[in-house]
Amino acid sequence: MNKFHKTLIALAVGLISTQASAAGFQLNSQSATGIGRAMAGDAVIADNASVLSRNPAAMALFDETALSLGIIYADIDVSVSDAEGNFDGQGVDFGSEHHAAEAKVIPNFYYINPINDKMAFGVAVFSNYGTGTDLGDLANRTPTINGNAVPLPPPVDLLGNTEVVTINFNTSMSYRVNDEFSFGFGIDAVYGSGTLTRTSENPQVGNLVDVDADGWALGGIVGVIYEVNPDNRFGLSYRISPKLSAKGDVNYVYSQYNEIDIPIADIAQFAGFHQLTDKFAVHYTAQWTNWSAFDKIVVKDGSNGVDQADLKEYHWKDSWFLSLGATYNLTQDWTLRAGIATDQGVVNQHSSLSIPDSDRTWYTAGVSYDLNQKSSVDLGIAFVRGEDVTVLENSNLLAQVPGYNSEISAQTRSNAIYYSVQYNYSF
């Protein structure tokens, strides 16, 4: 997935080397409607209940109960090619992995219930973060020099399987102050689970990392809507992300821990919507993610007599997601959407083989069909293209071998195609 998609548990625990760092991946795919317009204006348009994932204040724009159910299929394409090192001045080839990520299914659910003409209540289930890569084949591939196999270890501590799933269970309220201003707030119960392995078939190396952990944390979101008039409005929201305490079996460099504390990045976004004609509208979003707050991971409750230790410090940077979209009402029943977005990577000083990261561009299109006056179906597709990146990462394992240079280089690329469908109903 960023990589793909900007992450939590497994990213946090996936570093054996004290000089390595991982990239993150943030999911910007909470609805088929949003995917069709590159998420442009998602925090203010309010054309169905999925707006709840972006701005609780937008519930004030609904005068009927609304329900949205959707599913997104993320076809992820992550490649790591030409992984190389150096031994006694000679180039060591560790190989390539061109199918390092599996496709993911991302469901979502949204429900908005206006209580009266001032207040509304809503619940939602969706995901903001997640990732999945597998470089285990590289970890067990025999290195070569000039095409000849050599009895040298690969950088096992940098390669393996990384899998993360996070789910937001949201409850929100909104209040309409007057014809112009509406406010909203919500509480997020965030569940995260992750598995991660860094292992070798060589019995002298064995399992460097074997993680199976999950946990819960509480966060929140606040938002505001300003309506200039029915055809022009703006939305602003801020999602307060928690520190996630994941518990489970955490085997880390032959020591066992029971808990990992992981800070999650806050998300702020500004959106605008402008209905220019009866048929045509434009909209936009500027989203900022506070990845610089993702500073370090702490492991606790160790079996080796250490109550707490810093597992890894990071040097990530804040990132921006900027999108522009358009909506065209083709007929009474058909609505067309399109959008384009730029998505900044979070890597600053260090990069990672297992979770490649780069700046990305989104190209999207979507369509809605009204089944009747109360229900509709949305379809959306997004093509996400990442830049080619040269990754340099140090292996502590190779540093222990005389003559081995600990620095590993590789070329990485992260692409994806999102296919999405959503059913909307009002009553």
Side-chain angles (χ1 to χ4, degrees):
M1 308 205 63
N2 204 342
K3 159 235 56 322
F4 241 89
H5 303 331
K6 296 174 180 164
T7 140
L8 303 178
I9 300 177
L11 290 182
V13 302
L15 305 174
I16 314 273
S17 169
T18 59
Q19 298 180 3
S21 118
F25 182 67
Q26 182 176 358
L27 296 174
N28 279 308
S29 51
Q30 284 75 36
S31 71
T33 320
I35 285 178
R37 56 185 175 229
M39 286 61 72
D42 268 14
V44 72
I45 295 181
D47 41 9
N48 57 58
S50 64
V51 71
L52 191 52
S53 68
R54 301 282 181 162
N55 189 352
M59 293 191 298
L61 302 175
F62 289 76
D63 54 15
E64 290 184 312
T65 300
L67 172 70
S68 292
L69 299 168
I71 192 167
I72 298 163
Y73 180 80
D75 185 6
I76 310 302
D77 177 18
V78 174
S79 65
V80 176
S81 59
D82 300 325
E84 298 177 345
N86 186 281
F87 178 75
D88 282 343
Q90 301 184 80
V92 181
D93 183 10
F94 299 110
S96 302
E97 178 58 64
H98 297 291
H99 303 285
E102 296 182 354
K104 303 297 176 185
V105 175
I106 310 168
N108 52 70
F109 166 85
Y110 306 98
Y111 173 81
I112 294 174
N113 180 28
I115 300 172
N116 51 44
D117 59 355
K118 290 287 188 180
M119 300 180 64
F121 167 81
V123 294
V125 182
F126 56 93
S127 180
N128 277 326
Y129 298 96
T131 191
T133 59
D134 191 352
L135 298 176
D137 288 345
L138 288 180
N140 292 294
R141 193 170 296 170
T142 302
T144 62
I145 296 179
N146 297 324
N148 300 313
V150 291
L152 293 171
V156 177
D157 54 333
L158 308 182
L159 307 170
N161 180 61
T162 302
E163 185 77 23
V164 173
V165 175
T166 67
I167 306 172
N168 281 44
F169 297 88
N170 172 268
T171 302
S172 295
M173 296 287 296
S174 69
Y175 180 77
R176 175 175 286 281
V177 179
N178 51 40
D179 290 341
E180 290 81 29
F181 285 98
S182 301
F183 296 91
F185 69 92
I187 297 175
D188 288 325
V190 182
Y191 172 76
S193 66
T195 59
L196 182 142
T197 58
R198 298 290 185 266
T199 186
S200 172
E201 295 176 355
N202 186 334
Q204 293 183 337
V205 178
N207 292 330
L208 293 175
V209 171
D210 189 359
V211 172
D212 186 359
D214 64 357
W216 289 87
L218 287 178
I221 184 172
V222 293
V224 60
I225 294 288
Y226 174 65
E227 300 174 72
V228 180
N229 53 49
D231 293 331
N232 298 274
R233 54 185 180 267
F234 303 95
L236 179 66
S237 68
Y238 191 94
R239 172 159 265 115
I240 305 164
S241 297
K243 176 180 289 187
L244 179 66
S245 293
K247 296 184 179 181
D249 296 325
V250 182
N251 298 301
Y252 171 71
V253 194
Y254 315 120
S255 297
Q256 186 170 2
Y257 297 85
N258 294 316
E259 181 178 331
I260 309 166
D261 287 351
I262 308 162
I264 307 175
D266 291 354
I267 304 171
Q269 57 187 296
F270 171 79
F273 170 81
H274 307 283
Q275 188 72 45
L276 302 182
T277 70
D278 291 342
K279 290 183 173 293
F280 183 71
V282 296
H283 25 85
Y284 43 86
T285 286
Q287 176 180 278
W288 171 83
T289 305
N290 185 29
W291 280 116
S292 61
F294 191 65
D295 54 354
K296 65 181 180 179
I297 304 303
V298 177
V299 293
K300 295 181 177 180
D301 194 15
S303 61
N304 56 356
V306 178
D307 180 63
Q308 178 174 313
D310 292 348
L311 176 63
K312 176 61 188 174
E313 293 188 1
Y314 294 82
H315 303 278
W316 287 5
K317 61 183 179 181
D318 297 341
S319 64
W320 284 93
F321 179 91
L322 306 174
S323 64
L324 176 65
T327 300
Y328 183 74
N329 296 321
L330 183 63
T331 67
Q332 183 177 350
D333 297 328
W334 291 92
T335 301
L336 306 180
R337 300 181 183 89
I340 187 170
T342 62
D343 188 8
Q344 288 184 329
V346 301
V347 169
N348 192 7
Q349 299 180 22
H350 304 287
S351 52
S352 170
L353 291 172
S354 61
I355 310 294
D357 188 39
S358 69
D359 294 347
R360 291 164 298 280
T361 303
W362 295 62
Y363 307 93
T364 75
V367 61
S368 291
Y369 177 69
D370 291 341
L371 301 173
N372 51 53
Q373 292 183 344
K374 294 293 185 178
S375 61
S376 63
V377 174
D378 294 341
L379 300 175
I381 188 170
F383 299 90
V384 185
R385 293 295 175 259
E387 298 179 355
D388 291 344
V389 174
T390 298
V391 173
L392 299 174
E393 188 171 14
N394 287 292
S395 166
N396 270 5
L397 182 64
L398 300 192
Q400 309 305 313
V401 181
Y404 235 141
N405 188 326
S406 65
E407 186 175 76
I408 306 302
S409 68
Q411 302 297 314
T412 66
R413 178 187 295 176
S414 320
N415 296 327
I417 303 177
Y418 291 86
Y419 306 91
S420 55
V421 60
Q422 180 175 303
Y423 174 74
N424 309 296
Y425 185 75
S426 60
F427 49 96

Coordinates of all heavy atoms in Angstrom, one line a residue, residues 2 6 14 37 58 90 103 107 117 129 154 157 166 173 183 207 215 226 267 282 320 331 342 362 390 409 413:
N2 N 1.4 3.3 -0.1 CA 2.3 4.3 0.1 C 3.1 3.8 0.3 O 2.9 4.1 0.9 CB 1.9 5.2 0.8 CG 1.9 6.4 1.2 OD1 2.2 6.7 1.1 ND2 1.7 7.1 1.6
K6 N 0.0 5.3 4.7 CA 0.9 5.9 5.8 C 0.5 5.2 7.1 O -0.6 5.3 7.4 CB 0.7 7.3 5.8 CG 1.2 8.0 4.6 CD 0.9 9.3 4.5 CE 1.5 9.9 3.3 NZ 1.1 11.0 2.9
G14 N 8.6 -2.5 12.8 CA 9.3 -3.2 11.7 C 10.8 -2.9 11.6 O 11.3 -3.3 10.5
R37 N -13.9 11.9 -7.4 CA -13.5 13.3 -7.6 C -12.2 13.6 -6.9 O -11.9 14.7 -6.5 CB -14.6 14.2 -7.0 CG -15.0 13.9 -5.6 CD -16.2 14.8 -5.1 NE -16.6 14.5 -3.8 CZ -17.9 14.2 -3.4 NH1 -18.8 14.3 -4.3 NH2 -18.2 14.0 -2.2
A58 N -20.9 18.8 8.5 CA -21.7 18.6 7.3 C -23.0 17.9 7.5 O -23.9 18.0 6.6 CB -20.9 18.0 6.2
Q90 N 33.2 -5.4 -3.9 CA 32.5 -6.0 -5.0 C 31.0 -5.8 -4.8 O 30.5 -5.9 -3.7 CB 32.8 -7.4 -5.2 CG 34.3 -7.7 -5.4 CD 34.5 -9.2 -5.7 OE1 34.3 -9.8 -6.7 NE2 35.0 -9.9 -4.6
A103 N -3.5 -7.1 -2.9 CA -4.7 -6.3 -3.0 C -5.5 -6.3 -1.7 O -5.4 -7.3 -1.0 CB -5.6 -6.8 -4.2
P107 N -13.9 -1.9 3.3 CA -15.4 -1.5 3.4 C -15.6 -0.3 4.2 O -14.7 0.2 5.0 CB -16.0 -2.8 4.2 CG -14.8 -3.2 5.1 CD -13.6 -2.9 4.3
D117 N -34.4 20.5 13.2 CA -33.8 21.4 12.2 C -32.5 22.0 12.7 O -31.8 22.8 11.9 CB -34.8 22.5 11.8 CG -35.2 23.3 13.0 OD1 -34.8 23.0 14.1 OD2 -36.0 24.3 12.8
Y129 N -5.8 4.5 8.0 CA -4.5 4.0 7.8 C -4.4 2.5 7.6 O -5.2 1.8 8.1 CB -3.6 4.4 9.1 CG -3.5 5.8 9.4 CD1 -4.4 6.4 10.3 CD2 -2.6 6.6 8.8 CE1 -4.3 7.8 10.6 CE2 -2.5 8.0 9.1 CZ -3.3 8.5 10.0 OH -3.3 9.9 10.3
P154 N 21.8 -12.3 3.2 CA 21.1 -11.1 2.8 C 20.7 -10.2 4.0 O 20.8 -10.6 5.1 CB 19.8 -11.7 2.1 CG 19.6 -13.0 2.8 CD 21.0 -13.5 3.2
D157 N 17.3 -8.3 8.3 CA 16.7 -7.4 9.2 C 15.9 -6.2 8.5 O 15.1 -5.5 9.2 CB 17.7 -6.8 10.1 CG 18.9 -6.1 9.4 OD1 19.2 -6.5 8.3 OD2 19.5 -5.2 9.9
T166 N -6.3 -0.8 10.3 CA -6.9 0.1 11.3 C -8.4 0.4 10.9 O -8.7 0.5 9.7 CB -6.1 1.4 11.4 OG1 -6.3 2.2 10.2 CG2 -4.7 1.2 11.6
M173 N -21.9 14.4 16.4 CA -23.1 15.3 16.5 C -22.8 16.6 15.7 O -21.6 17.0 15.7 CB -23.4 15.6 18.0 CG -23.8 14.4 18.8 SD -25.5 13.9 18.5 CE -26.4 15.3 19.0
F183 N -21.6 23.6 13.2 CA -20.5 23.0 13.9 C -20.7 21.5 14.1 O -21.9 21.1 14.2 CB -20.2 23.7 15.2 CG -19.8 25.1 15.1 CD1 -20.8 26.2 15.1 CD2 -18.5 25.5 14.9 CE1 -20.4 27.5 14.9 CE2 -18.1 26.8 14.7 CZ -19.0 27.8 14.8
N207 N 14.3 -16.0 13.8 CA 13.3 -14.9 13.8 C 13.8 -13.7 14.5 O 13.9 -13.6 15.7 CB 12.1 -15.4 14.6 CG 11.4 -16.5 13.8 OD1 11.4 -16.6 12.6 ND2 10.7 -17.5 14.5
G215 N -4.8 -3.4 19.4 CA -5.2 -2.5 20.5 C -6.2 -1.4 20.1 O -6.6 -1.3 18.9
Y226 N -19.2 26.7 6.6 CA -19.7 28.1 6.4 C -20.4 28.1 5.0 O -19.7 27.8 4.0 CB -18.6 29.1 6.4 CG -19.0 30.5 6.0 CD1 -19.9 31.2 6.8 CD2 -18.5 31.1 4.9 CE1 -20.3 32.5 6.5 CE2 -18.9 32.4 4.5 CZ -19.8 33.1 5.3 OH -20.2 34.3 4.9
I267 N -4.9 15.0 11.5 CA -5.3 15.3 10.1 C -6.1 16.5 10.1 O -7.2 16.6 10.8 CB -6.0 14.2 9.4 CG1 -5.3 12.9 9.4 CG2 -6.4 14.6 7.9 CD1 -6.0 11.7 8.9
V282 N -17.5 22.9 -9.2 CA -16.0 22.6 -8.9 C -15.8 22.5 -7.4 O -16.6 23.2 -6.7 CB -15.1 23.6 -9.6 CG1 -15.2 23.6 -11.1 CG2 -15.4 25.0 -9.0
W320 N 1.2 17.1 2.7 CA 0.0 17.7 2.1 C -0.6 16.8 1.0 O 0.1 16.2 0.2 CB 0.4 19.1 1.5 CG 0.6 20.1 2.5 CD1 1.8 20.5 3.1 CD2 -0.4 21.0 3.1 NE1 1.6 21.6 4.0 CE2 0.2 21.9 4.0 CE3 -1.8 21.1 2.9 CZ2 -0.4 22.8 4.7 CZ3 -2.5 22.0 3.7 CH2 -1.8 22.9 4.6
T331 N -27.7 14.0 -16.7 CA -29.2 14.0 -16.8 C -29.8 14.0 -15.4 O -29.1 14.1 -14.4 CB -29.6 12.7 -17.5 OG1 -29.3 11.5 -16.7 CG2 -28.9 12.5 -18.9
T342 N -2.4 15.6 -5.8 CA -1.0 15.4 -5.5 C -0.9 15.0 -4.0 O -1.6 15.6 -3.2 CB -0.1 16.6 -5.8 OG1 -0.5 17.7 -5.0 CG2 -0.2 17.0 -7.2
W362 N -2.8 11.3 -8.2 CA -4.0 10.6 -8.3 C -4.8 11.1 -9.5 O -5.0 12.3 -9.7 CB -4.9 10.8 -7.1 CG -4.4 10.3 -5.8 CD1 -3.3 10.6 -5.1 CD2 -5.1 9.3 -5.0 NE1 -3.2 9.9 -4.0 CE2 -4.2 9.1 -3.8 CE3 -6.3 8.6 -5.1 CZ2 -4.6 8.2 -2.8 CZ3 -6.6 7.7 -4.1 CH2 -5.8 7.5 -3.0
T390 N 15.1 6.0 -5.2 CA 16.3 5.3 -4.8 C 16.3 5.2 -3.3 O 16.4 6.3 -2.6 CB 17.6 5.9 -5.3 OG1 17.6 5.9 -6.7 CG2 18.8 5.1 -4.8
S409 N 21.2 -0.5 -1.2 CA 20.5 0.4 -2.1 C 19.5 -0.4 -3.0 O 19.7 -1.6 -3.2 CB 21.4 1.2 -3.0 OG 22.1 0.3 -3.9
R413 N 9.1 1.5 -6.3 CA 8.0 2.2 -6.9 C 6.7 1.7 -6.3 O 6.6 0.5 -6.0 CB 8.0 1.9 -8.4 CG 6.8 2.6 -9.1 CD 6.7 2.2 -10.6 NE 7.8 2.7 -11.4 CZ 8.0 2.4 -12.6 NH1 7.2 1.6 -13.3 NH2 9.1 2.8 -13.3

